[in-house]
Amino acid sequence: DITIMRNDFAATLKREMDLAGKTAKAVSLGAGLGATFVADILRGKSRRPAMHHVVAMAEYLGIPPERLIGHEGPLNANAAKPPNASPIT
C-alpha cells in the first residue's frame, strides 16, 4: 500500500516545482487539473490526491511519480486496484 502523507507530499511537490521553476497554477493546468488543484494541496485543503493526479503532475514536471510520493522503485499500476478488478493493460 502506498500512503501519501500530506505534509511530506506537499513539501516534495513544492521542492520539485521550485527545481523545475514552475508555479502551482502552471503545474495544475499543465497536468490537466483544475487551476487551484496544486495550490490546494500546498495549502493543505486537499489531503490525498488520487494516484492518477500524482502521475499527471509528475509527468508535467518531467519526473517519475515515485519521486513525488517517496516510493522506492517503480509503481505497480495494478497496486491501487481492488483484488477482483481487471489488470491495467
Side-chain angles (χ1 to χ4, degrees), residues 5-47:
M5 301 302 290
R6 202 240 19 116
N7 290 335
D8 291 342
F9 180 76
T12 300
L13 177 59
K14 177 68 172 138
R15 182 185 71 236
E16 294 297 336
M17 288 170 42
D18 290 346
L19 289 171
K22 303 291 183 184
T23 65
K25 186 173 183 178
V27 174
S28 292
L29 297 177
L33 305 168
T36 64
F37 189 87
V38 172
D40 289 345
I41 291 171
L42 298 178
R43 282 189 239 124
K45 284 185 165 185
S46 176
R47 296 222 173 255

Side-chain angles (χ1 to χ4, degrees), residues 53-65:
H53 293 147
V54 173
V55 171
M57 290 182 285
E59 286 177 353
Y60 177 76
L61 291 168
I63 61 172

